[in-house]
Amino acid sequence: MGRRERFSQYEWAAWPDEELLAQLATMQGMVNIRRIEQNVMGGPGLVVELADEFFQTGQVMADGTWPHPARHNRVLRLTWESRWEERDGGLNGGGVTVHHSERIFFLQTYDEFYAGPFGTFHPHRQGVSSPGLYEVTNDPDPWILEILRENNNTDTFPPYAPKVLEYDRRSDTFNNRGRFASEETVSSSDYFWTGEQPPTPEQQAEFDAAVKRNQQAQAALERSRPRYRHLFIASNTVMVEILCEGLPRWEWAEVAEKG
């Protein structure tokens, strides 16, 4: 499947974060992607920074005034990073500890001059209005189908954890289990007693109850969101296509000027 064919199948929606879209709409003039940084050995999995036309601009006012009054050092920073969340004191404190996994499965960037398929099949043609942040909602997803067909290393997506798609290479067919995990397909973890002495029967019963409570909380979290998201960031310089586990956290960040 070529890129143009894949884009022609996309069903677009606005990025499902209204507050973020409202913040993006406050940016002035042309919005550009200033920075894309992917980490594969610790730290945030992906960072994308958006800057508007007046970010550290060298523009001069018509009367010669400089710096331009709209000049600033702020960027809108999007961060995908896995994290642990302790609730009600965490697992060791009588509550639960759940893991928010934010893996990046696939990442593709397109210079604006080579992003023709996006322009041809732009979301506005489907009535989607958004200032540059979109989500592809096909189920199954054309990008995943393409990658599984072209990759002889694996026939499943994701390559680990509960499966969303399985590809039968002999029959060229897919088993689509859907974007949302069922109760039977949520991930599982192992828990170990760490006391210096073996647990008493009462301690073992308490430990088992805590583990079950934590497993239920983790399963509820995983069922509450899609197993993956196919996101697209459009700017005036670069397009970014991301297949990931979830939406990023975002913040306004100040960037120091060089020199």
Side-chain angles (χ1 to χ4, degrees), residues 101 103-106 144 147-148 151-167 227-228 243-245:
S101 182
R103 288 171 294 185
I104 304 297
F105 297 116
F106 309 132
I144 301 176
I147 289 174
L148 289 180
N151 185 354
N152 291 326
N153 291 328
T154 181
D155 297 325
T156 63
F157 175 81
Y160 27 72
K163 299 178 180 66
V164 174
L165 270 171
E166 290 185 277
Y167 177 47
R227 289 282 294 112
Y228 67 89
L243 199 67
C244 54
E245 285 195 283

Side-chain angles (χ1 to χ4, degrees), residues 127-139:
V128 180
S129 176
S130 173
L133 300 180
Y134 304 98
E135 181 173 26
V136 177
T137 59
N138 301 64
D139 189 11

Side-chain angles (χ1 to χ4, degrees), residues 129-257:
S129 176
S130 173
L133 300 180
Y134 304 98
E135 181 173 26
V136 177
T137 59
N138 301 64
D139 189 11
D141 188 280
W143 198 12
I144 301 176
L145 301 184
E146 175 187 287
I147 289 174
L148 289 180
R149 277 197 173 103
E150 296 179 352
N151 185 354
N152 291 326
N153 291 328
T154 181
D155 297 325
T156 63
F157 175 81
Y160 27 72
K163 299 178 180 66
V164 174
L165 270 171
E166 290 185 277
Y167 177 47
D168 188 322
R169 204 166 294 276
R170 290 172 298 179
S171 62
D172 191 30
T173 58
F174 290 89
N175 176 19
N176 178 27
R177 301 185 179 183
R179 295 181 66 200
F180 286 86
S182 67
E183 188 167 354
E184 294 75 23
T185 60
V186 296
S187 61
S188 59
S189 300
D190 294 323
Y191 297 81
F192 301 94
W193 175 263
T194 57
E196 295 182 0
Q197 300 295 328
T200 65
E202 292 77 13
Q203 289 174 323
Q204 185 64 55
E206 183 179 343
F207 175 79
D208 292 341
V211 167
K212 183 177 180 180
R213 189 166 58 246
N214 210 80
Q215 289 174 328
Q216 291 173 337
Q218 184 68 46
L221 172 64
E222 294 182 16
R223 289 195 300 269
S224 69
R225 68 176 195 171
R227 289 282 294 112
Y228 67 89
R229 288 192 183 274
H230 183 169
L231 304 175
F232 197 93
I233 305 174
S235 79
N236 289 285
T237 51
V238 177
M239 310 294 174
V240 182
E241 192 170 12
I242 310 162
L243 199 67
C244 54
E245 285 195 283
L247 298 172
R249 289 175 291 155
W250 59 268
E251 62 179 338
W252 287 105
E254 292 285 328
V255 177
E257 296 194 42

